[in-house]
Amino acid sequence: MRGSSGRPPTEHSTTPETAVPSPGEEGAAPPRVQVSSAAEERRRARRSRRYRLDVKWSPYAFVMPFFVFFMAFGLFPLLYTGWASLHRVELTAPTDMEWVGLRNFSRLLEDEFFWNALKNTVTIGLISTVPQLLMALGIAHLLNYRLRGSMFFRVAALTPYATSVAAATLVFVLLFGRDYGMINWALGLVGFDNIDWQNGEWTSQLAVSTIVIWRWTGYNALIYLAAMQAIPKDLYESAALDGASRRQQFIHVTIPSLRPTILFTCVVSTIGATQLFGEPLLFNGGAGATGGADHQFQTLGLYLYEQGWVNLHLGRASAIAWAMFLILLVIGAVNWLLARRLSKSA
Amino acid sequence: MRRAVILAVVAALGAGLLAGCAKDSDEPANSASKAGGGGKGSTTLTVGVFGAFGLKEAGLYDEYMKLNKNIVIKQTSIERNENYYPQLLTHLGSGSGLADIQAVEVNNIAEITATQAGKLVDLGKADGVQKDAFLPWKLAQATTKDGRTIALGTDIGPQGICYRKDLFAKAGLPTDREAVGKLWAGDWNKYLDAGEQFKAKAPKGTAFVDSASGVMEAITGSNENRFYDKDGKVVYKTNPSVKQAWDIAAAFATEGLTGKLQQFTPAWDQGYANGTFATVSCPAWMLGYIQDKAGAAGKDKWDVAAAPRPSNWGGSFLTVPDAGRNKAEAAKLAAWLTAPEQQAKLFAKRGSFPSARAAYSLPAVSGAKHAYFAGAPIGQIFSKAAEGVPVQIIGPKDLIIAQNLADIGMLQVDQKGRSPKEGWDAAVKAIDNALDQ
């Protein structure tokens, strides 16, 4: 590429516009020049006005598509859901709305299925998010070493994330099967009785968490890996000079430098855990949104789905959706406070 | 200049995409009249169904297109009714996105008849509909109070009991289908007794029946009164027939006669494949399912006997939405698809039992034998069951009540070892929450 054109193009291209009129022309017809310069003036003013407008408004035009879509598919549904949550609406007649005020919300307070779902969401969220992020950190640390075929391992770490949740969950349902599941078979080899993974409260939540962990660990590991590679090498070098072991380097150099990234993944994982839906839905085989005979792994997302699309109560489902939204806002606020304290103490 | 172009493009793109989205939902209805192609006045009819409905698989569309050169039929299918039905409701609500013909499951038909009748064509008056051919109760289920028939019945689900002859022989029970039928004829409690007999000498690792919920479903299907009374009031809590079904099914669970499986789950399929249970209540449409899941190894091991009492489980309807573009042609197609001759073909090919009584005397039904089930004369077995099925009172929320009784209440008794009382209370709580408006 370099030097192929042979001639630097920049010098010529600017000359015509900045060219000074030749002396002869100037003297021969001064008035004409004046007229043309006035026109030029106007044109220039217009151009600069347009330029100013352009600088001012073009960015808005460029970001417009996002906001148009956001309004159509983000904001409008959000507001409409809020509006619907104040009404009694049934899916059999979505246009018949009867005003009930905050009734749908107040009844959530005494709705034991809602509290059960909230509790399940929190426990499943905890037992999936915490190990998942810890494992992701460890894996990222390993991937960060100079190792042969690192690209292969990085891609491999991401494959679970690329797998469809439906396909993955079906496989896990078979693995966790009571009578013919591979996990029970393996446990049987060491002398354990068959565990009814789907029906126990803890076992079912553990099984659902396993699917979540399997799916997202690699994804988070890659985020950590990206952040790790941005850590200056000399930090490690000086730590090594001071006699810090690999482990000590990880704890005293890597972790502090990753703090904002860890916080980010915490927030994203929390949002994901709050909205957990596909895994528990499919883990329940044929029964749909009940989350097990005892609702033992019914998450908020499942309960919302059950109210809206099985029981057809759109108003109540909307109220649950908004309650979830508010819960997320609270979690976000707590995270923000924590982050502020952390960055102050750092 | 260039910027203006970009602006215009951006604006056009945004608007175009938005418009595209808006248009999308109208498309199926619009395209019905035009997308047929060919250019010589051909009409495309769309049919929306759930699951493997069978009309296409039995070759009925192809046959109709051959008879009517100007018609092209396209089918869209959504695997599970629980996903199909809410979508159908939203589409009916917005009057767009509808196929020319939409299928409806029997558990939803009362709700559709009660709430959506205004958006569906009155098929009782349509060309070619033979109202007398149907079982009267099937027709009545889809007829509104003011006498509009908004759906035509396809199949019904008269039940027998499918059983494994090899397991019966090992447990010292008769294997001949007549003798097996006599074992429990007339009384569901005798079915329970047969279970006790089976258990006494059962081969290791086998159970008498797949699930307690399946038994409950079969018994409630044999009762005239289930969850609603004639005035449309929810009465399942106090209805003695529901109580009886609950108690007998719960007894199966507490006596350890079930395989503790949940129907239509992967574990249930594995139960078929491994032959871990000896009987299952068996609507006509279940035969194909068993054949699929039990596979070649189960051939001639399975057989069908009459159920203790005639009972119905499942069945479907076809409706023609008012918002469709080709209502007249669609009604004609619906009438043809549900005519006795076609229902008989559907039975012969797919095992969906006709809801048209006139079909029972056709040789395709009366002479039907199922090779997989040891040549059982299924035409006669299911015809007899169908004639005895009581006219059931069905209500708008039948599906939700049945689902929670089975998947919450009875499942707790069966799989979690809760007492029948605890299971019942849990189901009632879930149903109250679901029905409460």
Side-chain angles (χ1 to χ4, degrees):
Chain A
M1 271 312 273
R2 230 179 318 151
S4 64
S5 82
R7 167 181 68 98
T10 39
E11 278 172 39
H12 285 279
S13 59
T14 46
T15 36
E17 264 150 60
T18 53
V20 191
S22 70
E25 244 180 283
E26 191 184 56
R32 237 175 60 205
V33 171
Q34 241 168 5
V35 169
S36 86
S37 84
E40 182 80 355
E41 199 92 314
R42 272 204 306 278
R43 206 179 306 144
R44 201 170 289 163
R46 206 163 55 225
R47 201 178 290 159
S48 90
R49 198 167 55 239
R50 207 190 281 158
Y51 178 74
R52 271 203 313 275
L53 279 177
D54 178 20
V55 166
K56 212 169 176 184
W57 293 107
S58 289
Y60 291 100
F62 291 138
V63 295
M64 211 46 212
F66 169 78
F67 284 97
V68 169
F69 280 104
F70 171 72
M71 280 199 291
F73 299 107
L75 196 62
F76 173 71
L78 188 75
L79 295 178
Y80 188 79
T81 309
W83 181 240
S85 73
L86 302 175
H87 293 78
R88 175 191 293 169
V89 204
E90 296 292 298
L91 188 59
T92 47
T95 44
D96 292 351
M97 294 176 123
E98 183 192 329
W99 177 263
V100 292
L102 290 174
R103 173 90 185 93
N104 285 328
F105 288 95
S106 65
R107 75 189 299 168
L108 280 185
L109 296 177
E110 59 208 49
D111 181 350
E112 59 178 293
F113 295 102
F114 175 76
W115 290 108
N116 172 61
L118 182 60
K119 193 192 82 201
N120 291 343
T121 309
V122 171
T123 48
I124 295 178
L126 280 178
I127 53 180
S128 62
T129 309
V130 174
Q132 170 194 330
L133 293 182
L134 291 177
M135 278 162 61
L137 258 180
I139 292 174
H141 183 59
L142 292 179
L143 284 176
N144 200 22
Y145 283 127
R146 213 179 282 273
L147 48 95
R148 211 170 300 174
S150 62
M151 201 56 190
F152 167 77
F153 288 110
R154 285 171 198 177
V155 172
L158 204 60
T159 32
Y161 170 66
T163 312
S164 130
V165 60
T169 308
L170 285 181
V171 173
F172 274 91
V173 169
L174 291 177
L175 288 180
F176 281 108
R178 183 192 59 191
D179 297 333
Y180 302 101
M182 207 158 89
I183 292 175
N184 274 347
W185 169 79
L187 287 176
L189 291 182
V190 243
F192 284 99
D193 280 344
N194 275 6
I195 295 173
D196 193 350
W197 290 99
Q198 207 185 37
N199 269 308
E201 181 169 349
W202 280 106
T203 51
S204 62
Q205 296 191 356
L206 209 66
V208 172
S209 303
T210 315
I211 310 174
V212 180
I213 291 172
W214 176 81
R215 226 167 100 75
W216 292 95
T217 302
Y219 173 82
N220 284 311
L222 284 197
I223 293 182
Y224 288 146
L225 177 63
M228 277 178 192
Q229 297 197 324
I231 302 172
K233 286 274 180 299
D234 35 352
L235 280 179
Y236 289 103
E237 276 165 22
S238 51
L241 280 179
D242 290 342
S245 70
R246 283 279 195 189
R247 217 180 65 96
Q248 284 167 327
Q249 287 177 22
F250 178 69
I251 291 172
H252 296 291
V253 178
T254 312
I255 299 272
S257 319
L258 284 186
R259 197 176 275 154
T261 316
I262 293 175
L263 204 77
F264 168 76
T265 53
C266 282
V267 172
V268 170
S269 302
T270 314
I271 293 175
T274 312
Q275 296 175 339
L276 189 64
F277 174 70
E279 288 88 349
L281 176 72
L282 292 162
F283 190 62
N284 199 16
T290 56
D294 219 0
H295 305 281
Q296 66 267 26
F297 54 97
Q298 186 173 47
T299 58
L300 281 177
L302 273 193
Y303 187 50
L304 157 68
Y305 180 79
E306 189 183 29
Q307 280 298 347
W309 301 101
V310 179
N311 300 339
L312 311 181
H313 305 317
L314 289 189
R316 289 178 68 184
S318 305
I320 299 170
W322 263 81
M324 282 170 74
F325 180 62
L326 296 177
I327 290 169
L328 276 177
L329 285 186
V330 170
I331 293 175
V334 169
N335 257 314
W336 178 73
L337 283 177
L338 274 179
R340 228 171 47 152
R341 294 219 14 210
L342 276 176
S343 63
K344 260 188 200 153
S345 70
Chain B
M1 191 58 200
R2 210 182 309 148
R3 267 167 204 118
V5 169
I6 291 173
L7 259 181
V9 167
V10 165
L13 206 68
L17 280 171
L18 283 179
C21 294
K23 216 187 268 168
D24 256 2
S25 48
D26 287 326
E27 208 72 82
N30 291 341
S31 69
S33 55
K34 286 160 202 157
K40 38 183 193 212
S42 81
T43 309
T44 301
L45 294 176
T46 49
V47 184
V49 299
F50 50 88
F53 208 72
L55 298 172
K56 184 180 188 181
E57 292 84 345
L60 292 180
Y61 297 155
D62 289 337
E63 194 181 335
Y64 191 76
M65 286 189 274
K66 218 171 271 170
L67 291 172
N68 301 273
K69 295 285 187 208
N70 60 329
I71 301 284
V72 178
I73 302 174
K74 288 199 178 130
Q75 176 179 293
T76 54
S77 175
I78 291 177
E79 185 58 34
R80 302 174 69 95
N81 184 48
E82 70 214 44
N83 299 330
Y84 169 87
Y85 181 61
Q87 196 184 84
L88 174 63
L89 286 177
T90 46
H91 286 172
L92 281 171
S94 62
S96 70
L98 290 156
D100 293 301
I101 292 180
Q102 292 276 0
V104 175
E105 219 267 340
V106 63
N107 274 314
N108 302 125
I109 195 68
E111 191 162 61
I112 288 282
T113 309
T115 64
Q116 311 293 321
K119 296 175 178 123
L120 299 166
V121 172
D122 181 2
L123 293 171
K125 296 195 191 98
D127 273 353
V129 174
Q130 315 166 31
K131 280 171 106 171
D132 315 335
F134 291 97
L135 289 167
W137 55 265
K138 184 83 173 174
L139 201 68
Q141 284 176 341
T143 303
T144 61
K145 286 200 183 97
D146 54 354
R148 300 175 72 238
T149 302
I150 49 108
L152 297 174
T154 56
D155 62 326
I156 56 174
Q159 301 197 66
I161 302 285
C162 293
Y163 65 101
R164 283 192 58 131
K165 283 188 291 191
D166 55 334
L167 297 182
F168 265 47
K170 282 182 196 155
L173 292 173
T175 56
D176 174 62
R177 66 179 75 91
E178 293 288 327
V180 169
K182 279 203 189 100
L183 205 57
W184 48 60
D187 190 349
W188 290 100
N189 278 308
K190 288 193 196 163
Y191 185 46
L192 183 64
D193 296 341
E196 303 282 6
Q197 279 182 49
F198 178 87
K199 192 191 172 193
K201 281 200 273 173
K204 200 173 170 299
T206 62
F208 180 63
V209 66
D210 62 325
S211 67
S213 301
V215 174
M216 186 177 63
E217 185 90 51
I219 304 178
T220 47
S222 67
N223 292 325
E224 186 182 333
N225 301 306
R226 292 198 304 177
F227 312 136
Y228 284 80
D229 69 3
K230 268 191 254 111
D231 308 322
K233 243 177 61 196
V234 180
V235 294
Y236 76 96
K237 279 184 215 176
T238 51
N239 191 343
S241 74
V242 175
K243 175 92 172 86
Q244 186 214 15
W246 176 271
D247 288 344
I248 296 176
F252 272 84
T254 52
E255 305 281 314
L257 303 179
T258 73
K260 301 181 188 251
L261 295 164
Q262 188 176 8
Q263 297 197 319
F264 303 101
T265 60
W268 193 55
D269 298 346
Q270 287 171 330
Y272 279 119
N274 292 289
T276 54
F277 51 84
T279 67
V280 60
S281 36
C282 208
W285 48 260
M286 187 83 89
L287 297 182
Y289 192 90
I290 295 176
Q291 186 176 351
D292 282 353
K293 300 300 173 188
K299 189 171 191 303
D300 289 331
K301 288 188 179 147
W302 282 98
D303 207 327
V304 200
R309 285 176 53 207
S311 164
N312 185 70
W313 179 7
S316 297
F317 293 83
L318 296 180
T319 67
V320 176
D322 242 340
R325 278 292 177 88
N326 301 289
K327 284 184 282 187
E329 284 293 344
K332 232 191 271 176
L333 174 60
W336 186 84
L337 287 171
T338 55
E341 297 77 24
Q342 276 63 251
Q343 291 207 21
K345 283 174 209 154
L346 195 62
F347 177 64
K349 297 248 173 70
R350 300 285 306 174
S352 302
F353 197 79
S355 64
R357 187 192 260 162
Y360 301 169
S361 53
L362 297 174
V365 175
S366 63
K369 291 195 161 63
H370 205 300
Y372 187 85
F373 287 80
I378 52 169
Q380 288 166 24
I381 292 172
F382 289 122
S383 295
K384 206 168 156 218
E387 296 286 356
V389 168
V391 181
Q392 271 188 335
I393 300 164
I394 59 173
K397 298 292 181 187
D398 272 0
L399 185 64
I400 285 173
I401 297 173
Q403 233 170 27
N404 281 306
L405 281 177
D407 293 339
I408 300 294
M410 193 49 79
L411 201 65
Q412 288 195 6
V413 180
D414 201 7
Q415 294 197 334
K416 305 196 74 164
R418 297 265 170 80
S419 75
K421 169 101 177 42
E422 284 171 320
W424 176 261
D425 290 344
V428 166
K429 210 186 277 174
I431 294 168
D432 281 348
N433 181 46
L435 295 192
D436 179 19
Q437 313 254 309

